[in-house]
């Protein structure tokens, strides 16, 4: 019973992580209009948030290892709704950016911590477990734009959306704190002598870190800016495209959960990355809401399994350092949002968003090369699934 309650609480928090991922991008028109700001200002907010998110993710493994999951993840789960309430009360743009800071840090800690928790609980089927966890992230990101788009028709403003999200996050935090998480304290220090060494080389880990970094840069370039890209349409139509994009990610992860244990992790991830680039290029070339819905949805389907697969590969590379490797890869992932997605605000003011998003297509090449480097230099565990009964 306790295991079922814990899984339900973790999935609820994962859902809110996805909701949070698209919350401000979905509200971008309302926020910029209310505070009379431009795309560059929104880019600065994303940049600030990405830095703090990275800090939270990179420290999550250390916090769990030293303080335990209950203390580390519980603190972050409570800090997030507190930050949202503070943002809802801000009268100026500068104060809103400051108020958002602890929320971004908290979300980084939660993402790194939950990844480590699931890698720990599902060592024999890492690919399936990570796709299931991140399926709920995608479902949250899918629901968020639909909700914001629908509420925009009622003209209730952006503040009630933040308050409502804060209340839901507080309820999820209470469930997580009562879920009976395994401590995780001291788990990594037991393997301290091994560090992150792998066969005398950090090349495979570096390849994974680069791949997940560039993947998130591409994924969030689409997620953060597609509503703004479609500013010639209504808010409801633009947020619908964003919702379909995230529905595609959810579908991709749901499908991967069922097939990935029979396919090589690295080969499957590379196939998804290449297909995503093809569909994204097509999506940027077409006009009309219908074709865009289909193509951005297909981009999402292909993007969906990539993050969980890279995380699962990392769990196979470093089974004795799950807290810290999950935190390090989460930090590498979110650091992908530090430069490129915020930079698109500057690009938009200069030459337009469409040109900037072509860069996300070009990122396909280094992502695939990085994954192939891992396949070549890493052990067998990273290129074949870890089926039940295998070590």
């Amino acid at each position: 019973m306790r295991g079922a309650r814990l899984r339900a609480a973790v999935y609820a928090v994962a859902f809110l992580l996805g909701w949070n991922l698209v919350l401000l991008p979905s509200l971008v028109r309302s926020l910029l209009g209310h505070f009379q700001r431009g795309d560059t200002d929104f880019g600065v907010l994303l940049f600030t948030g990405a830095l703090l998110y990275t800090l939270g993710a990179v420290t999550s493994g250390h916090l769990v290892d030293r303080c335990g999951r209950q203390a580390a993840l519980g603190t972050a789960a409570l800090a997030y709704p507190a930050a949202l309430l503070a943002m809802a009360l801000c009268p100026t743009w500068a104060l809103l950016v400051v108020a958002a800071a602890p929320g971004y840090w908290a979300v980084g800690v939660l993402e790194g911590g939950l990844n480590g928790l699931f890698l720990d609980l599902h060592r024999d089927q890492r690919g399936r477990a990570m796709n299931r966890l991140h399926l709920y992230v995608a479902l949250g990101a899918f629901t968020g734009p639909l909700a914001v788009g629908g509420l925009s028709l009622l003209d209730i403003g952006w503040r009630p959306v933040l308050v409502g999200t804060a209340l839901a996050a507080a309820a999820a935090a209470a469930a997580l704190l009562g879920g009976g998480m395994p401590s995780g304290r001291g788990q990594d220090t037991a393997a301290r002598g091994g560090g992150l060494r792998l066969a005398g080389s950090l090349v495979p880990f570096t390849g994974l870190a680069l791949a997940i970094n560039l993947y998130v840069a591409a994924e969030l370039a689409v997620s953060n800016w597609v509503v703004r890209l479609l500013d010639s349409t209504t808010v409801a139509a633009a947020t619908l495209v964003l919702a379909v994009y995230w529905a595609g990610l959810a579908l991709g992860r749901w499908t991967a959960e069922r097939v990935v244990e029979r396919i090589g992790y690295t080969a499957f991830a590379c196939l998804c990355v290449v297909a995503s680039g093809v569909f994204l290029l097509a999506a940027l070339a077409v006009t009309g809401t219908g074709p865009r819905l289909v193509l951005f949805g297909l981009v999402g389907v292909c993007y969906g399994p990539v993050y969980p697969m890279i995380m699962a590969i990392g769990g196979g590379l470093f089974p004795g350092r799950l807290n810290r490797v999950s935190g390090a890869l989460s930090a590498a992932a979110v650091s992908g949002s530090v430069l490129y997605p915020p930079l698109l605000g500057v690009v938009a003011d200069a030459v337009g968003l469409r040109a900037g998003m072509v860069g996300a297509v070009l990122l396909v090449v280094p992502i695939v090369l990085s994954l192939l480097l891992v396949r070549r230099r890493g052990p067998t565990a990273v290129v074949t699934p870890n089926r039940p009964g295998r070590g």
Side-chain angles (χ1 to χ4, degrees):
M1 179 64 72
R2 188 179 72 171
R5 287 200 301 268
L6 176 59
R7 284 195 299 273
V10 170
Y11 291 148
V13 174
F15 182 91
L16 283 168
L17 290 179
W19 177 287
N20 175 79
L21 192 62
V22 297
L23 179 60
L24 294 187
S26 295
L27 293 171
V28 59
R29 295 191 194 178
S30 298
L31 289 170
L32 297 184
H34 178 87
F35 291 106
Q36 295 297 299
R37 296 286 177 159
D39 289 330
T40 300
D41 297 297
F42 188 63
V44 170
L45 173 61
L46 295 179
F47 178 76
T48 303
L51 288 177
L52 289 160
Y53 198 118
T54 303
L55 176 64
V58 78
T59 57
S60 64
H62 297 274
L63 291 174
V64 169
D65 191 46
R66 294 185 179 277
C67 305
R69 289 193 177 100
Q70 191 83 357
L73 301 189
T75 300
L78 293 173
Y80 173 58
L84 289 175
L85 290 175
M87 292 170 65
L89 298 174
C90 289
T92 67
W93 178 260
L95 287 176
L96 183 137
V97 173
V98 172
Y104 279 111
W105 170 84
V107 171
V109 172
L110 287 170
E111 178 164 342
L114 293 186
N115 284 329
L117 172 61
F118 257 50
L119 287 173
D120 188 12
L121 293 177
H122 303 278
R123 291 173 182 254
D124 289 335
Q125 293 190 337
R126 301 181 311 275
R128 176 176 295 178
M130 294 307 295
N131 273 288
R132 171 67 67 89
L133 175 63
H134 287 275
L135 167 62
Y136 284 89
V137 176
L139 288 174
F142 161 67
T143 306
L146 287 180
V148 172
L151 292 172
S152 72
L153 300 177
L154 302 177
D155 197 26
I156 69 168
W158 57 273
R159 296 185 195 273
V161 177
L162 294 185
V163 172
T165 302
L167 294 177
L176 185 66
L177 286 170
M181 288 178 284
S183 170
R185 186 173 183 178
Q187 178 176 296
D188 284 0
T189 54
R192 189 184 302 278
L196 284 180
R197 293 192 299 271
L198 177 64
S201 173
L202 280 175
V203 171
F205 177 80
T206 302
L208 284 179
L210 181 60
I212 204 168
N213 175 283
L214 297 177
Y215 160 73
V216 169
E219 177 200 88
L220 291 187
V222 177
S223 181
N224 287 351
W225 290 102
V226 70
V227 172
R228 191 64 170 167
L229 177 70
L230 305 179
D231 60 0
S232 60
T233 66
T234 65
V235 172
T239 52
L240 177 61
V241 173
L242 178 57
V244 169
Y245 169 72
W246 278 101
L249 271 101
L251 178 60
R253 289 169 182 173
W254 180 84
T255 303
E257 179 193 347
R258 284 151 177 77
V259 302
V260 72
E261 296 301 331
R262 298 190 294 271
I263 303 173
Y265 287 4
T266 305
F268 186 68
C270 287
L271 177 63
C272 291
V273 170
V274 172
S276 72
V278 174
F279 288 126
L280 179 55
L281 188 61
L284 295 174
V286 302
T287 59
T289 301
R292 285 168 172 166
L293 281 171
V294 173
L295 288 168
F296 276 110
L298 290 172
V299 173
V301 169
C302 297
Y303 273 163
V306 179
Y307 183 105
M309 294 315 307
I310 295 174
M311 195 65 67
I313 293 169
L317 283 171
F318 306 102
R321 304 283 285 180
L322 293 180
N323 287 332
R324 300 197 185 190
V325 77
S326 64
L329 285 178
S330 296
V334 77
S335 66
S337 64
V338 170
L339 183 60
Y340 190 66
L343 182 62
L344 283 183
V346 179
V347 174
D349 287 338
V351 297
L353 267 177
R354 196 177 305 274
M357 281 195 176
V358 171
V361 178
L362 299 178
L363 289 178
V364 165
V365 175
I367 294 172
V368 170
L369 290 177
S370 297
L371 289 172
L372 292 177
L373 176 66
V374 174
R375 180 174 184 142
R376 181 177 180 181
R377 298 294 295 273
T380 303
V382 305
V383 296
T384 57
N386 196 9
R387 297 181 177 86
R390 291 182 58 182

